């Protein structure tokens, strides 16, 4: 069971390092190899207090920011209580990356746009004046939003945590909604999250599962393994007979930020979970799509991926909390 982190230890770690915070190193290492990040780095990997899971009052769960994705997926407490999160963590990246990558690192990683990742190309994310992807190859870019940067947000866990109404625990501050780490995307011109560099994400906090909830997660990719999703989605629903009484749906890979899909939820709640209802609810995402010249295909994938998780979530064999 994890304990609350010692504020003195964390403050000392930041002061002693004086550089970019580094957790599992899967993203910072890649950026360092490409010349995007030159250090110095402050390694948090040895901070044991930031690892593991522990119960919260009221049936919630605290997950330390240095908990690896592999540990999150294997944790019986997570699998049995929050299956949507366990499913999402288990689909991310590769087994090797999941063994090293952390919850905090996944939430605060940088985007995978190849123009940003090329150290020889200027772009908004590196303080440049424009987005070369707009006039270049952007077939993996956003399909929603009108901001100047068109790189989709890469965090699978952020998407799942949005669907859980999770909170982010920041060292020295009151917990805030995970969604507040990103805002609406309009301010993410030079970064991929809104957490200041001198702040430490210590944990995420999950509320208690809903009685009888069902969960599903799906990512649509161009190949079966080791691929970033074109679109991904997660759904949590509760049913009274065949009537949807609660729905929480979120998506990733389509916008500068992970999206909570309130329009889908509104189209489901209070209605029978028939194929027609599910299809109509999924189709509501098309209204928020603003495709770029090369991302029109993503609108259809967005709708169909959301429909996939809705169909799985209401199916008799859907993943459900064990308690």
């Amino acid at each position: 069971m994890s304990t609350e982190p010692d504020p003195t230890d964390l403050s000392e770690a930041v002061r002693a390092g004086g550089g970019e915070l580094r957790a599992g190193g899967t993203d910072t290492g890649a950026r360092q190899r490409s010349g995007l990040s030159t250090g110095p780095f402050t390694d948090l990997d040895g901070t044991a207090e930031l690892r593991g899971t522990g119960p919260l009052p009221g049936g919630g769960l605290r997950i330390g920011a240095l908990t690896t994705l592999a540990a999150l997926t294997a944790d019986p407490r997570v699998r049995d209580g929050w299956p949507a999160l366990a499913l999402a963590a288990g689909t991310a990246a590769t087994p090797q990356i999941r063994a090293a990558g952390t919850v905090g690192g996944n939430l605060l990683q940088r985007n995978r746009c190849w123009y940003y990742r090329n150290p020889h190309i200027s772009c908004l994310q590196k303080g440049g004046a424009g987005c070369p992807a707009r006039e270049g190859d952007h077939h993996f870019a956003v399909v929603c939003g009108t901001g100047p940067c068109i790189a989709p947000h890469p965090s699978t866990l952020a998407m799942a945590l949005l669907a859980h109404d999770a909170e982010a625990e920041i060292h020295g501050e009151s917990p805030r909604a995970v969604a507040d780490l990103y805002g609406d995307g309009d301010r993410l011109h030079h970064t991929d999250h809104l957490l200041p560099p001198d702040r430490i994400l210590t944990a995420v906090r999950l509320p208690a599962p809903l009685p009888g909830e069902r969960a599903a997660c799906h990512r649509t990719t161009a190949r079966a393994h080791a691929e970033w999703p074109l679109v991904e989605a997660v759904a949590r629903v509760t049913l009274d007979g065949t009537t949807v009484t609660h729905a929480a749906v979120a998506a990733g890979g389509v916008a500068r930020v992970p999206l909570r899909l309130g329009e889908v939820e509104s189209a489901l709640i209070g209605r029978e979970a028939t194929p027609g209802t599910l299809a109509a609810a999924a189709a509501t995402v098309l209204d928020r799509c603003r495709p770029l010249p090369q991302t029109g295909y993503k609108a259809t994938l967005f709708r169909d991926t959301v429909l996939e998780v809705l169909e799985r979530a209401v199916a008799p064999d859907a993943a459900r909390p064990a308690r």
Side-chain angles (χ1 to χ4, degrees), residues 247-312:
V249 188
V254 294
R256 280 294 294 133
V257 295
L259 299 176
R260 180 74 179 261
L261 304 177
E263 68 274 31
V264 176
E265 297 166 4
S266 296
L268 290 170
I269 296 172
R271 294 178 171 85
E272 297 287 315
T274 64
T277 295
L278 302 183
T284 62
V285 303
L286 297 175
D287 291 337
R288 69 162 74 213
C289 291
R290 300 292 183 271
L292 299 163
Q294 297 173 19
T295 63
Y297 75 97
K298 271 197 173 187
T300 302
L301 285 184
F302 188 10
R303 178 199 64 196
D304 292 349
T305 302
V306 171
L307 179 58
E308 178 75 17
V309 294
L310 296 182
E311 290 176 339
R312 291 188 186 186

Side-chain angles (χ1 to χ4, degrees), residues 78-106:
V78 178
R79 289 201 316 267
D80 291 346
W82 295 266
L85 180 60
L87 289 170
T91 66
T94 64
Q96 294 85 352
I97 294 295
R98 292 195 293 272
T102 65
V103 170
N106 189 273

Side-chain angles (χ1 to χ4, degrees), residues 104-139:
N106 189 273
L107 295 179
L108 303 178
Q109 65 184 300
R110 301 305 305 272
N111 72 77
R112 288 328 193 260
C113 174
W114 39 53
Y115 294 99
Y116 164 68
R117 293 278 167 168
N118 188 322
H120 306 295
I121 297 177
S122 175
C123 78
L124 287 165
Q125 290 284 318
K126 293 178 284 189
C131 176
R134 283 190 174 274
E135 302 301 325
D137 188 343
H138 59 260
H139 65 276

Side-chain angles (χ1 to χ4, degrees), residues 60-263:
L61 186 72
R62 181 183 184 273
I63 303 171
L66 289 186
T67 305
T68 66
L69 272 63
L72 188 67
T73 304
D75 191 318
R77 190 154 30 193
V78 178
R79 289 201 316 267
D80 291 346
W82 295 266
L85 180 60
L87 289 170
T91 66
T94 64
Q96 294 85 352
I97 294 295
R98 292 195 293 272
T102 65
V103 170
N106 189 273
L107 295 179
L108 303 178
Q109 65 184 300
R110 301 305 305 272
N111 72 77
R112 288 328 193 260
C113 174
W114 39 53
Y115 294 99
Y116 164 68
R117 293 278 167 168
N118 188 322
H120 306 295
I121 297 177
S122 175
C123 78
L124 287 165
Q125 290 284 318
K126 293 178 284 189
C131 176
R134 283 190 174 274
E135 302 301 325
D137 188 343
H138 59 260
H139 65 276
F140 290 152
V142 302
V143 70
C144 303
T146 57
C149 177
I150 59 173
H153 200 277
S155 178
T156 294
L157 291 191
M159 169 195 70
L161 291 170
L162 286 187
H164 281 285
D165 295 309
E167 291 183 327
E169 182 185 285
I170 311 300
H171 174 53
E173 300 180 7
S174 299
R176 65 181 73 172
V178 166
D180 291 343
L181 294 176
Y182 312 109
D184 60 8
D186 288 344
R187 295 168 57 194
L188 298 186
H189 303 167
H190 308 298
T191 184
D192 294 290
H193 60 81
L194 300 176
L195 190 67
D198 61 344
R199 295 290 187 268
I200 303 176
L201 174 69
T202 56
V204 293
R205 294 171 174 253
L206 293 163
L210 296 173
E213 75 170 79
R214 302 150 173 256
C217 180
H218 180 70
R219 53 170 37 197
T220 300
T221 60
R223 62 185 182 185
H225 301 289
E227 181 66 290
W228 292 95
L230 301 171
V231 182
E232 58 185 342
V234 64
R236 300 169 57 226
V237 300
T238 61
L239 300 174
D240 182 3
T242 59
T243 300
V244 179
T245 55
H246 176 84
V249 188
V254 294
R256 280 294 294 133
V257 295
L259 299 176
R260 180 74 179 261
L261 304 177
E263 68 274 31

